[in-house]
């Protein structure tokens, strides 16, 4: 399955009064991890949507487990990989590590969304070409 | 079980280019919902920690389901309630509604944490008095 | 001149490892203060733009002075008031207080922006009706 | 004078419903620019404070001018440079560019802060060794 790894330096403003990354921040990073995964698939997000006539791929479910804290100044890696491919949705696993240690594991499910004939938005089948790229 | 409800107005800066609340923002609101739940239990968070000699109650697992979008200017309610009480951990269910509609359901598990004799941090038994208050 | 005051509770996630509000957070609050000032003028922001055929009122200059720190759990007030009204721009002064103490003073200059005949965006004269409301 | 340049990719979550970077985000980036300037001076921020027995260097004044918008996916550069060195304070100029275009100019004044004999915090003279490094 397709995967991509980013590096980030933990910033002062990412951290809370306990001196560790405030947990919502990880979800921001995971969202960006998914953006970069689209780019690794061959299309930056705006082009991805345009190419396949989609409106977006909103998150419908997400979860994370926090195993070890990250602190100001830490250099961390986030690996985002396609974990499941459904007919109209797909899931991404995000693994955040510091050196050899896994600090956070995240999981997002997103729905492929397109405009419907009546003008509203609804789920739509994932394009074959995209599925092929996601399979790596 | 103890519960508490907050109202929030969705702000411009909470929303993304799709015009809807960016999902990490909900986790910020849930964190604050938990803070206010401690206050509803009888202690603002700093006093809670001091009263029981605890170091914190970090989130170890969290998840959310996004059922309907929230937009700039929406007035939403967030109800946070104790969902499970373990020996050394507890869980909070957060339900975000807009009028009669449930938009987001969240769930956090937190560990009661105290300083250990060796100076490190570790899980500790939830104080009886706190458990009683959480039971409502 | 028109003014409006909001109350906010400082949240855990607003604060940095020094235990005080991270300064960019104040600019988020000031932006929301301006939104609520539009509402105090008679129009929530979306209706304001629609009513007068405007595209937005982006910030072109902003500044702030930090006189005293704000901490987790503090209840603060933010007063936003029209400070200057130009032909195509206006300025808002934001004063954040904790009890009697002024903690932060902010100042924003915004440009009234509309679509030009060629389809681009540019500054436009402030509508008289809006100026009258801003004068209070 | 000492200067340092960072590159950033504008993320989805940095942008507002107008599709452009929400202005408080720039102040987060400038704060990180200053952190990296300390590192360019020879000390990551925690070591800097420890080395010179300081408590911090909080921002007392900041301002920014927004000349051109930044959008999702843009690659931007932020150059942070020492602009003024006082006895107990210093200022940093931040210039954010996209290709050849200057998008944002920012300016921060920070006070060198140390613990006083009575236990409180107050301004303190900038250490000579740090001033020398800031001079580049």
């Amino acid at each position: 399955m397709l995967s991509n790894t980013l590096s980030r330096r933990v910033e002062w403003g990412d951290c809370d009064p306990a001196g560790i990354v405030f947990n919502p921040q990880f979800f921001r990073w995971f969202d960006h991890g998914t953006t970069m995964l689209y780019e690794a698939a061959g299309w930056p997000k705006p082009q991805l949507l345009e190419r396949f006539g989609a409106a977006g791929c909103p998150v419908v479910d997400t979860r994370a487990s926090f195993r070890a804290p990250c602190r100001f100044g830490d250099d961390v890696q986030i690996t985002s990989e396609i974990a499941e491919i459904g007919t109209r949705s797909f899931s991404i696993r995000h693994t955040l590590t510091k050196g050899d240690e896994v600090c956070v594991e995240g999981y997002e499910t997103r729905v492929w969304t397109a405009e419907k004939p009546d003008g509203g938005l609804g789920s739509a089948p994932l394009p074959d070409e995209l599925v092929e790229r996601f399979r790596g």
Side-chain angles (χ1 to χ4, degrees), chain A:
Chain A
M1 296 287 219
L2 186 72
S3 82
N4 188 61
T5 298
L6 304 173
S7 294
R8 291 196 91 111
R9 167 69 63 97
V10 176
E11 303 178 10
W12 181 256
D14 296 330
C15 298
D16 67 17
I20 63 176
V21 173
F22 184 49
N23 80 70
Q25 204 62 25
F26 293 114
F27 292 98
R28 295 180 73 95
W29 298 350
F30 294 158
D31 187 82
H32 188 59
T34 298
T35 293
M36 298 310 286
L37 194 57
Y38 299 145
E39 199 157 317
W43 305 279
K45 189 173 164 184
Q47 284 90 312
L48 175 81
L49 299 181
E50 197 188 346
R51 170 89 176 73
F52 296 110
C57 16
V59 174
V60 288
D61 283 293
T62 189
R63 61 175 195 262
S65 295
F66 307 101
R67 298 178 171 202
C70 298
R71 296 176 197 284
F72 173 53
D74 284 350
D75 286 304
V76 301
Q77 278 68 46
I78 302 172
T79 297
S80 303
E81 53 185 328
I82 299 291
E84 286 186 82
I85 304 175
T87 314
R88 292 161 177 267
S89 68
F90 58 101
S91 299
I92 304 108
R93 178 180 299 111
H94 303 280
T95 309
L96 186 149
T97 55
K98 188 167 61 179
D100 288 341
E101 186 181 30
V102 173
C103 297
V104 187
E105 292 182 306
Y107 200 88
E108 280 177 344
T109 301
R110 291 174 177 264
V111 170
W112 189 256
T113 302
E115 211 173 305
K116 293 185 293 187
D118 70 1
L121 292 178
S123 70
L126 278 168
D128 291 343
E129 190 182 356
L130 182 61
V131 168
E132 213 168 300
R133 297 281 183 97
F134 278 176
R135 291 231 163 89

